[in-house]
Amino acid sequence: MKIKDGYILRDIADSFVVVPVGERVIDFKGVMTLTGIAPFIWTQMEKDTSREDLLAKVLEEYEVDGAQAGQDIDSLLAKMAELGLLDT
Amino acid sequence: MSIQEPQWDAQFQDAADWEALETTMAARAALKHQPLGATFELTPFCNLRCKMCYVRLEKEQAVKIGRMLTADEWISLADDTLKAGTLNLLLTGGEPLSRPDFAEIYTALSDRPFVLSLNTNAALMDAETQALFCKRPPSSIAVTLYGACPETYGKICGDPGAFERTLRGLEMLAEVPTSLEVRTTFIQDNMHELDALREIAARYTKRFAINVNVFKPIRGATADVESCRLTARQAMDLDTAHRQYYKARQKSGLSPKEPATTPKKGKYTGFDLPPKVLTCMAAKGMYWLSWDGRMLPCGTFSHPYTQPLKEGFDAAWQRLPTLYEDLRLPEKCEHCEIDLLGCPNCPANIQAESGNFTDVPPYICALAKERAQRLGNLKTGSTRHHTE
């Protein structure tokens, strides 16, 4: 799974902002701000990856509890899927 | 990198929430002097000949002033602005749609991660442009509606037929998935049409904004605004009527939101950032690129300016506020009886009216005094009545 094409993550004035471009503006009107380590997850998902790979990379990068990280990744993925952001 | 606790928050803003976020980002951008908001003035030319227009040029005027940037130059500048951190990008003119290569520029910009907005008079809308916007919608479109009938368009814009073409354009734009706003600038010729204009706007959108203050033309434009703009009293009367209409609707539960209004001066005051004389975001987090490639704090200034195509975008942006650092309001303003927060005496307006930064323009004083008398914010002890 990966983020669909047409969403670009930008680091502007200390905010991580996802901006839809071109025809993708029809699918998502507005912008998204990502806080905490959500930008890290987003960046990993700009190329095809799996939940397991994501979890491994998060645990490699951050000092977090594995079970909690897994739950939070699932929560974020569900939100992204609900918004139609994912190619699965 | 490590953190104490996982933080996974992802916030998803729709258009309504965007303004709040934008304000926060604008404050941070200004504090870091990042060029968050840009306006690209794609052309000084327009299909209409509005008698109060502050920027429109004829071709023979424009060639004496400068050279219009090409599509490639605008796209190249857009890439520079992206690298520098620009997010919000407004396309304006003149009339942007009057450029034969508008679609080329627009398509390229919409492929880049900007929050795009467009100002247009809508009279040049056609099926091809509508299809372009439907496929790649800007975040918002503001249409200026000059009158409520062909006669008024004839008087103001010199083209009675433009009224019907504007309505057709609005019909096309109403089908574009974007945030549509209708705006009207009021002068003597249309001041009697507030209600009719609001009714027309309501066919296409809930967002209707008015402008009652018209300043003298700038950067070589030559409109005779003094012969047609509202007096201070008329301007306040119209503004008051507009606000009262929405207040009444709010009371009756018909209108859930305040009407769209021009951002208030002083909205971001308190940052105390240089150049201090500019109490908005101009030159701090926002800038204007004119049709011939000048970088200005905002579109109401004529000079001083920097030249991003010659000196590089970053150098031009860094140098811009330094050009205004030593600027002060006219001395008379410093001792004025009026609360200056409500006065339209920003240096850009003063320059537009006086041609310099030192002479206090009577029109601005009249607007400020009228407003102060109605709102009761004359400084203590002053009861002098202003007459026009």
Side-chain angles (χ1 to χ4, degrees), chain A residues 8 10 12-15 17 19-26 28-38 41-42 58 61-65 68-69 72-73 76 79-80 83 85, chain B residues 1-15 18 21 25 28-29 32 34 36 81-83 85-87 110-115 134-139 177-178:
Chain A
I8 297 180
R10 300 189 61 192
I12 297 175
D14 296 332
S15 291
V17 181
V19 187
V21 298
E23 297 174 33
R24 198 59 80 188
V25 177
I26 297 170
F28 192 92
K29 295 174 186 61
V31 298
M32 299 164 242
T33 53
L34 306 181
T35 58
I37 51 179
I41 299 284
W42 185 282
V58 167
E61 189 74 13
Y62 297 94
E63 294 173 13
V64 294
D65 173 74
Q68 183 64 51
D72 288 334
I73 286 174
L76 190 61
K79 198 168 183 178
M80 288 175 164
L83 289 164
L85 302 176
Chain B
M1 179 180 174
S2 65
I3 55 174
Q4 295 293 317
E5 294 176 349
Q7 296 176 13
W8 305 92
D9 194 19
Q11 297 168 28
F12 301 87
Q13 277 86 17
D14 61 17
W18 170 233
L21 171 68
M25 284 186 71
R28 283 204 300 265
K32 295 167 77 77
Q34 288 189 350
L36 182 70
T81 70
L82 271 179
K83 285 177 199 154
T86 296
L87 176 63
S110 73
D111 273 338
R112 289 159 170 77
F114 292 114
V115 176
C134 282
K135 190 176 179 187
R136 303 162 164 273
S139 174
T178 188

Side-chain angles (χ1 to χ4, degrees), chain B residues 113-332:
Chain B
F114 292 114
V115 176
L116 270 183
S117 301
L118 173 72
N119 287 350
T120 176
N121 61 42
L124 291 174
M125 277 297 295
D126 55 21
E128 198 176 332
T129 309
Q130 184 193 31
L132 174 66
F133 290 156
C134 282
K135 190 176 179 187
R136 303 162 164 273
S139 174
S140 62
I141 298 177
V143 174
T144 307
L145 180 66
Y146 292 99
C149 62
E151 291 72 25
T152 304
Y153 261 78
K155 286 179 187 171
I156 294 180
C157 314
D159 182 359
F163 175 66
E164 291 298 336
R165 295 200 301 278
T166 300
L167 294 191
R168 280 201 297 277
L170 275 165
E171 283 164 18
M172 290 182 180
L173 289 172
E175 292 177 15
V176 175
T178 188
S179 173
L180 181 64
E181 178 175 292
V182 173
R183 298 173 177 172
T184 297
T185 293
F186 283 93
I187 60 174
Q188 296 291 333
D189 304 87
N190 62 358
M191 60 177 288
H192 60 288
E193 293 185 329
L194 174 60
D195 291 341
L197 286 160
R198 188 191 299 115
E199 284 173 20
I200 293 173
R203 296 180 207 162
Y204 310 103
T205 177
K206 291 179 180 174
R207 298 174 66 84
F208 176 58
I210 72 168
N211 174 36
V212 295
N213 297 337
V214 176
F215 298 105
K216 290 183 185 175
I218 54 169
R219 299 198 292 276
T222 53
D224 179 16
V225 303
E226 287 177 283
S227 68
C228 63
R229 66 184 172 191
L230 304 181
T231 65
R233 180 162 306 194
Q234 289 169 332
M236 278 302 293
D237 283 346
L238 210 59
D239 191 60
T240 302
H242 181 61
R243 291 179 185 283
Q244 283 177 343
Y245 171 84
Y246 284 98
K247 275 185 184 168
R249 283 180 64 88
Q250 278 177 314
K251 273 188 183 173
S252 60
L254 291 170
S255 185
K257 286 187 175 180
E258 289 282 339
T261 55
T262 309
K264 287 185 178 124
K265 180 180 167 160
K267 185 175 179 183
Y268 300 106
T269 52
F271 295 153
D272 203 22
L273 300 168
K276 292 179 183 177
V277 72
L278 304 183
T279 58
C280 62
M281 301 299 284
K284 299 168 187 177
M286 297 176 71
Y287 59 99
W288 181 285
L289 290 178
S290 68
W291 58 273
D292 54 349
R294 300 182 227 175
M295 180 185 278
L296 293 152
C298 80
T300 307
F301 279 110
S302 292
H303 57 81
Y305 54 86
T306 59
Q307 295 179 286
L309 283 175
K310 289 184 181 172
E311 57 192 293
F313 183 88
D314 289 337
W317 170 246
Q318 293 304 326
R319 200 163 68 83
L320 186 65
T322 69
L323 302 178
Y324 293 81
E325 267 178 7
D326 295 332
L327 191 59
R328 298 288 178 270
L329 286 177
E331 193 177 346
K332 187 179 169 189

